[in-house]
Amino acid sequence: QVQLVESGGGLVQAGGSLRLSCAASGSIFKIATMDWYRQAPGKQRDLVASITADGTTNYADSVKGRFTISRDNAKNTVYLQMDSLNIGDTATYFCNAHYRWIHYWGQGTQVTVSS
C-alpha cells in the first residue's frame, strides 16, 4: 500500500530548471518501481522516466540527457530533476508507484514553461 503526493511544479522560462518531488507513504515503497508520467491537455498520459527498486533508470527519448530520476529510500521520496526545459515539457506531471499488478497515482503537479 502506498499514497503519493507530488510537489515542486510551477512556472519557469524556457531553458530553466525545476525539481519535482514525490513523497510516498506505505509499506511497499522500497520494493516498488517509481515512475513519472506527464499529460498535456487533450493528449494521452505518457511515461517520462522510471526507476526500479534497485536503481535502474529508463527515460523517454524526448527527455534523455535533460531529465534525471532518482530515489531516496530512507525518505520514501522520488525526484525528477528537469533541466533545459522547453515549452514542449508543459504538462501535468504525475507520480506513479507500481508493484506487480498494483498501481498507485498521485494527484499531479503542474509544470508550465514559457517562451
Side-chain angles (χ1 to χ4, degrees):
Q1 306 288 354
V2 61
Q3 295 183 343
L4 309 172
V5 179
E6 301 99 330
S7 63
L11 176 64
V12 64
Q13 290 188 331
S17 298
L18 286 173
R19 189 182 74 161
L20 306 183
S21 298
C22 174
S25 62
S27 61
I28 68 168
F29 174 81
K30 290 179 174 61
I31 60 174
T33 294
M34 304 297 298
D35 309 305
W36 285 98
Y37 286 76
R38 67 185 182 188
Q39 186 171 28
K43 304 293 185 180
Q44 70 178 39
R45 186 173 296 184
D46 293 326
L47 179 64
V48 175
S50 65
I51 183 167
T52 66
D54 67 1
T56 301
T57 59
N58 283 283
Y59 299 92
D61 288 342
S62 60
V63 306
K64 284 181 179 178
R66 300 190 298 121
F67 291 9
T68 304
I69 189 171
S70 61
R71 67 193 295 161
D72 186 340
N73 287 346
K75 297 181 178 179
N76 281 8
T77 302
V78 63
Y79 305 95
L80 186 68
Q81 177 67 43
M82 305 186 295
D83 298 319
S84 300
L85 286 162
N86 59 63
I87 58 174
D89 298 317
T90 295
T92 302
Y93 284 71
F94 297 90
C95 183
N96 170 266
H98 68 273
Y99 177 70
R100 296 181 178 177
W101 63 91
I102 303 172
H103 287 249
Y104 299 92
W105 292 93
Q107 291 298 115
T109 185
Q110 178 66 37
V111 172
T112 302
V113 183
S114 63
S115 61

